[in-house]
């Protein structure tokens, strides 16, 4: 977008009788004024529980999302107007603002420009991403910003079609979805109409009018607005239906990561050719429409069937706020971990799938195939771009940022089934050449692929159920012989010399009572480790009826793990836990407990040296001591004491 494109426009609506005095103004300006009248009764919540904190000392926040200075200039103009009206505000560049503090604010005004491809300017990327992730994270709750009142003025250009004022609209929608209330409706200024200054001037006056419609005074723990002869605490205001309609319209446009290509193409749609003796379907897994939608949501699609996305734990450790359970259990550096997949397709439709099983499915590869070198290079390039966006974010040091730009680990578990990709061995080779470790997760439906797989730093098999009936109900596999394939996959795992893991996802009411059946599987695959993790609730959909009642507490996971370890007759013991992730690790005693100390961590440099040597090696050749803070029962609960613990505010309409 051009330098003048950081602008925005005001929507139009029919004029009403009480607005005839504004007939000389543009219809867009009238709309903003009209809608603001409907919202004037909103109560303004107190930002603190301190009864001695008077309204005079409370300052609102005025944020500007600006690339070329347009929104910053408008924000400065509004700041001067607010100051002249004795309304205390801080003028804030969001690049130096901590989004986690939003739940403490009582009033926020945002002037937001839309930049290239509908994205926010550089100084608003982190704030925008934080709002998006918080709004989509069920653990945050829909009342996180319930004490916050806000208003947004968008700056954009209609010349950019559907991207017009996308950033302003996004801020308004996400703030509302987190419980914040608008004191004025979103106003969208269009830089191309030539009336941006006039529209902003009218909107600014409306802001002043709403804030000074009487006097702000405390009433218990709330501020109420006294308007002329009438006073209201907002209890008679009801505009929820309008907001719900708007949110439903926005949600209907969202395409999830695994919506790519919809269903697997049928045979009549597929022309199959042969390249170097390998089937190479002509149809691309990612359509242009899906690609564009996913790009807007922050996903980086690589080629025609691969993807990469920055993990929240990567961002957390970049900020010094702790790493994921792999950091605790195996010593990975979470801020240097790249999460990717070479195949967005899968052979299962699991009930707990975090993408609600809308991904493409198939029993074999039937799409166009991209070169593994291109996938690896592109994944690293896109990952670095996402890491660079963390520059300037509170807590991110120059040292950690520079480390993050040099990934050392790759979790091949973003989504889908990575070993479906026919060139998975070549892709793994490319990662190892760069001394990037590999953590690969398979759904145990392709045993022949496990057999032919080259050494992996750590190879996982998802063991979602312990009996045939429960696996059919939980994983909903495509293969009719899924149980036989599962058993053969475990047998193939047993023959691997490098580190192997059973990954158990506990779903209350589905598989938490099958301790005996699970223990009987140990001898089949003889895994080095068993990860036991509570299911993550991702919402109810047409294809999954899981609720929060199906999510086990950490105490439940611990009890299950202790019972399972006891059933192993001393072969396995609980080695580590990561309380935050509701995850526990069982490890083989005879291999990883040496002189009373656990050695679950990995010597990554040693692993790469062993791979480069070309000589056979085993899992005990690259193990390292486990630090005391992650050992089961430690006071730290698996949280790295060198990191700063940050507990996110949780606000839900109801508690379990």
């Amino acid at each position: 977008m051009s330098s003048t494109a950081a602008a925005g426009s005001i929507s139009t609506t029919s004029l009403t009788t009480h607005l005839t005095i504004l007939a000389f103004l543009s219809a867009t300006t009238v709309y903003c004024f009209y809608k603001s009248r409907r919202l004037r009764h909103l109560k303004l919540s107190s930002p603190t529980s301190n009864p001695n904190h008077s309204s005079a000392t409370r300052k609102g926040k005025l944020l500007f999302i600006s690339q070329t200075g347009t929104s910053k200039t408008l924000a400065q103009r509004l700041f001067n107007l607010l100051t002249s009206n004795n309304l205390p505000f801080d003028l804030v560049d969001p690049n130096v603002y901590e989004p986690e503090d939003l739940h403490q604010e009582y009033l926020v005004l945002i002037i937001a420009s839309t930049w290239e491809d509908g994205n926010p300017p550089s100084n608003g990327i982190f704030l925008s991403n934080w709002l998006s992730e918080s709004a989509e994270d069920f653990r945050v709750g829909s009342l996180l910003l319930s004490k916050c009142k806000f208003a947004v003025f968008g700056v954009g250009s209609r010349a950019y079609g559907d991207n017009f004022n996308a950033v302003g609209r996004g801020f308004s929608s996400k703030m509302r979805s987190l419980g914040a209330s608008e004191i004025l409706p979103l106003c969208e200024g269009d830089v191309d109409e030539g009336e941006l200054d006039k529209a902003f001037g009218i909107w600014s006056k409306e802001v002043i009018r709403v804030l000074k419609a009487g006097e702000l005074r405390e009433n218990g723990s709330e501020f109420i607005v006294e308007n002329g002869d009438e006073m209201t605490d907002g209890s008679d205001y009801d505009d929820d239906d309008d907001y719900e309609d708007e949110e439903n319209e926005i949600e209907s446009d969202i395409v999830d990561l695994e919506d790519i290509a919809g269903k697997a193409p049928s045979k009549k749609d597929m022309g199959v050719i042969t390249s170097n003796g390998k089937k190479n379907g002509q149809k691309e897994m990612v359509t242009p429409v899906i690609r564009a939608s996913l790009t807007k949501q922050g996903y980086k699609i690589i080629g025609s069937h691969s993807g990469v996305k920055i993990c929240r734990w990567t961002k957390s450790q970049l900020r010094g706020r702790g790493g994921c359970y792999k950091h605790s259990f195996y010593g990975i550096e979470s801020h240097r971990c790249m999460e990717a997949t070479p195949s967005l397709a899968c052979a299962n439709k699991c009930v707990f799938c975090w993408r609600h099983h809308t991904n493409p499915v198939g029993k074999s590869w039937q799409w166009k195939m991209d070169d593994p070198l291109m996938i690896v290079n592109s994944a690293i390039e896109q990952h670095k771009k996402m890491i660079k966006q963390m520059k300037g974010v509170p807590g991110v040091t120059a040292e950690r940022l520079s480390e993050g730009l040099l990934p050392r680990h790759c979790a091949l578990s973003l989504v889908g089934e990575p070993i479906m990709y026919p060139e998975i061995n070549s892709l793994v080779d490319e990662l190892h050449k760069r001394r990037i470790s590999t953590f690969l997760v398979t759904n145990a439906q392709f045993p022949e692929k496990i057999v032919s797989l080259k050494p992996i730093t750590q190879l996982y098999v998802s063991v979602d159920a312990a009996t045939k009936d429960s696996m059919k109900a939980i994983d909903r596999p495509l293969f009719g012989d899924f149980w036989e394939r599962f058993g053969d996959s475990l047998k193939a795992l047993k023959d691997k010399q490098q580190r192997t893991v059973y990954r158990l996802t506990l779903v209350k009411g589905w598989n938490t009572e099958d301790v005996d059946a699970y223990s009987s599987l140990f001898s089949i695959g003889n895994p080095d480790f068993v990860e036991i993790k509570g299911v993550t609730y991702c919402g109810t959909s047409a294809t999954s009826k899981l609720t929060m009642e199906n999510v086990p507490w950490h105490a439940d996971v611990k009890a299950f793990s202790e019972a399972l370890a006891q059933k192993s007759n001393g072969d396995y013991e609980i080695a580590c836990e990561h309380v935050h992730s509701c995850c526990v690790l069982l490890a083989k005693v005879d291999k990883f407990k040496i002189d009373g100390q656990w050695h679950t961590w990995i010597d990554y440099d040693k692993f790469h040296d062993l791979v480069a040597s070309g000589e056979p090696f085993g899992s005990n050749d690259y193990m390292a001591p486990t630090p005391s803070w992650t050992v089961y029962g430690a006071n730290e609960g698996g949280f790295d004491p060198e990191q700063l613990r940050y507990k996110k505010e949780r606000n839900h309409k109801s508690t379990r």
Side-chain angles (χ1 to χ4, degrees):
M1 187 181 285
S2 65
S3 61
T4 58
S9 76
I10 310 171
S11 311
T12 62
T13 188
S14 60
L15 299 178
T16 55
T17 304
H18 70 284
L19 292 175
T20 54
I21 60 173
L22 298 176
F24 69 95
L25 296 175
S26 66
T28 54
T29 303
V30 173
Y31 175 75
C32 284
F33 181 80
Y34 168 69
K35 289 288 289 183
S36 68
R37 296 286 295 179
R38 300 176 63 197
L39 291 168
R40 63 190 174 91
H41 298 302
L42 279 176
K43 61 185 178 182
L44 296 175
S45 301
S46 170
T48 177
S49 59
N50 183 357
N52 297 320
H53 195 158
S54 69
S55 61
T57 62
R58 296 187 180 123
K59 288 188 176 183
K61 293 292 187 292
L62 173 56
L63 280 65
F64 57 88
I65 317 297
S66 184
Q67 186 72 31
T68 63
T70 302
S71 289
K72 183 177 181 180
T73 299
L74 294 176
Q76 183 64 59
R77 185 193 306 176
L78 177 58
F79 177 75
N80 293 338
L81 185 62
L82 290 164
T83 302
S84 65
N85 281 273
N86 297 317
L87 295 170
F89 273 80
D90 289 325
L91 184 61
V92 180
D93 183 340
N95 206 33
V96 295
Y97 180 74
E98 173 53 72
E100 302 281 2
D101 292 339
L102 271 176
H103 76 278
Q104 300 174 354
E105 308 292 358
Y106 85 103
L107 186 57
V108 177
L109 304 177
I110 302 173
I111 317 298
S113 294
T114 297
W115 194 234
E116 295 177 344
D117 300 321
N119 294 316
S122 57
N123 77 324
I125 291 175
F126 184 71
L127 175 61
S128 176
N129 290 344
W130 183 89
L131 284 171
S132 297
E133 292 170 3
S134 297
E136 294 169 3
D137 189 342
F138 80 97
R139 295 164 299 181
V140 172
S142 60
L143 300 178
L144 176 66
L145 305 184
S146 60
K147 296 181 180 180
C148 180
K149 310 301 176 187
F150 76 101
V152 179
F153 185 89
V155 185
S157 169
R158 289 192 186 276
Y160 291 90
D162 292 341
N163 288 332
F164 172 63
N165 261 311
V167 174
R169 293 174 182 178
F171 274 113
S172 176
S173 172
K174 296 301 187 293
M175 292 281 285
R176 283 189 278 112
S177 68
L178 290 170
S181 301
E182 286 185 305
I183 62 171
L184 284 172
L186 167 68
C187 278
E188 300 179 336
D190 186 353
V191 69
D192 295 331
E193 283 189 350
E195 294 187 350
L196 177 63
D197 287 345
K198 180 187 292 185
F200 184 73
I202 295 296
W203 181 81
S204 298
K205 290 180 180 178
E206 283 298 286
V207 171
I208 301 299
R209 184 190 64 78
V210 169
L211 298 183
K212 293 198 67 176
E215 61 176 291
L216 295 179
R217 66 178 181 82
E218 286 195 77
N219 179 19
S221 61
E222 298 178 339
F223 280 106
I224 57 177
V225 181
E226 188 174 4
N227 292 297
D229 296 333
E230 64 176 334
M231 184 183 299
T232 177
D233 63 0
S235 60
D236 61 342
Y237 176 75
D238 185 6
D239 201 23
D240 290 342
D241 291 338
D242 287 351
Y243 283 161
E244 289 177 4
D245 291 341
E246 293 172 17
E247 291 179 24
N248 289 336
E249 290 176 7
I250 293 172
E251 290 176 0
S252 66
D253 294 333
I254 295 177
V255 181
D256 217 339
L257 178 59
E258 293 189 1
D259 287 332
I260 295 173
K263 300 287 184 180
S266 63
K267 289 184 178 179
K268 67 180 182 179
D269 296 328
M270 287 297 301
V272 179
I273 62 176
T274 299
S275 175
N276 296 326
K278 298 175 182 176
K279 290 184 178 179
N280 191 7
Q282 292 178 325
K283 188 170 183 178
E284 291 192 357
M285 194 182 289
V286 183
T287 67
V289 173
I290 300 299
R291 182 186 300 273
S293 178
L294 291 173
T295 298
K296 289 182 180 179
Q297 297 176 55
Y299 294 100
K300 308 301 179 184
I301 304 304
I302 301 166
S304 63
H305 54 75
S306 305
V308 63
K309 192 178 190 294
I310 190 170
C311 173
R312 72 182 185 93
W313 285 110
T314 299
K315 292 185 283 188
S316 175
Q317 196 162 49
L318 276 171
R319 304 181 71 186
R321 292 185 170 185
C324 67
Y325 75 89
K326 290 189 181 74
H327 171 63
S328 298
F329 295 176
Y330 315 120
I332 77 161
E333 299 171 278
S334 299
H335 66 301
R336 304 184 72 176
C337 183
M338 175 175 69
E339 193 171 22
T341 182
S343 171
L344 293 155
C346 190
N348 287 346
K349 304 286 280 183
C350 304
V351 296
F352 53 77
C353 177
W354 67 302
R355 290 298 169 187
H356 298 301
H357 359 94
T358 51
N359 56 306
V361 293
K363 298 179 182 180
S364 62
W365 189 269
Q366 49 190 323
W367 299 279
K368 176 182 176 181
M369 188 170 66
D370 297 328
D371 179 69
L373 178 61
M374 182 279 291
I375 295 174
V376 171
N377 285 339
S378 298
I380 294 174
E381 179 184 359
Q382 293 298 331
H383 178 76
K384 286 183 177 179
K385 288 181 179 179
M386 290 184 283
I387 293 293
K388 287 179 180 177
Q389 293 178 356
M390 295 293 292
K391 183 179 181 180
V393 172
V396 177
T397 64
E399 180 182 4
R400 280 197 294 266
L401 186 66
S402 62
E403 290 175 345
L405 293 172
L406 298 172
R408 290 195 64 202
H409 318 284
C410 181
L412 293 166
S413 59
L414 178 63
V415 77
E417 175 57 84
I419 62 175
M420 281 187 71
Y421 175 52
E423 294 287 351
I424 184 64
N425 276 328
S426 297
L427 184 136
V428 168
D429 283 343
E430 291 297 335
L431 289 168
H432 289 170
K433 286 177 183 177
R434 294 162 176 78
R435 298 181 76 81
I436 296 176
S437 66
T438 48
F439 290 76
L440 188 150
V441 181
T442 174
N443 292 323
Q445 290 298 291
F446 298 94
E448 71 283 358
K449 294 285 189 180
I450 296 177
V451 171
S452 62
L453 198 61
K454 287 187 174 182
I456 301 291
T457 309
Q458 189 153 289
L459 177 60
Y460 291 77
V461 167
S462 293
V463 183
D464 303 322
T467 66
K468 183 176 181 178
D469 289 342
S470 60
M471 177 166 286
K472 185 176 182 178
I474 293 175
D475 282 359
R476 295 190 291 189
L478 299 183
F479 286 106
D481 60 343
F482 66 91
W483 185 246
E484 291 74 20
R485 286 176 170 272
F486 172 71
D488 289 341
S489 294
L490 298 188
K491 293 175 184 176
L493 196 74
K494 188 174 185 177
D495 294 332
K496 292 297 177 182
Q497 300 303 308
Q498 291 73 45
R499 295 163 65 108
T500 57
V501 185
Y502 280 5
R503 172 178 283 182
L504 278 60
T505 301
L506 296 187
V507 186
K508 289 183 72 173
W510 292 75
N511 61 4
T512 52
E513 305 299 324
D514 298 333
V515 176
D516 289 336
Y518 271 115
S519 66
S520 68
L521 299 177
F522 282 9
S523 61
I524 301 176
N526 194 31
D528 291 323
F529 305 98
V530 180
E531 283 182 10
I532 305 169
K533 190 177 189 298
V535 67
T536 298
Y537 175 65
C538 300
T540 301
S541 71
T543 50
S544 176
K545 301 304 180 183
L546 295 185
T547 70
M548 283 297 294
E549 295 299 321
N550 299 114
V551 180
W553 298 99
H554 186 61
D556 299 326
V557 175
K558 288 170 62 177
F560 182 94
S561 303
E562 290 169 356
L564 192 58
Q566 188 175 8
K567 290 287 184 180
S568 73
N569 296 318
D571 291 339
Y572 294 86
E573 292 181 3
I574 301 180
C576 307
E577 67 178 324
H578 191 248
V579 176
H580 189 104
S581 297
C582 199
C583 190
V584 171
L585 180 70
L586 272 61
K588 293 203 73 171
V589 177
D590 61 349
K591 291 181 69 173
F592 298 98
K593 196 170 189 180
I594 302 173
D595 296 329
Q597 182 178 10
W598 285 110
H599 286 65
T600 65
W601 275 34
I602 297 173
D603 186 334
Y604 294 99
D605 288 333
K606 185 66 176 298
F607 169 79
H608 292 300
D609 291 342
L610 291 167
V611 170
S613 72
E615 299 294 328
F617 65 97
S619 56
N620 57 343
D621 291 326
Y622 56 101
M623 62 184 178
T626 307
S628 60
W629 51 265
T630 187
V631 172
Y632 187 61
N635 292 332
E636 294 86 350
F639 185 85
D640 190 340
E642 293 186 1
Q643 301 280 301
L644 179 63
R645 188 68 181 267
Y646 184 90
K647 294 186 177 180
K648 182 176 287 188
E649 189 85 4
R650 307 294 188 197
N651 290 269
H652 296 275
K653 291 181 179 179
S654 62
T655 57
R656 188 170 62 175

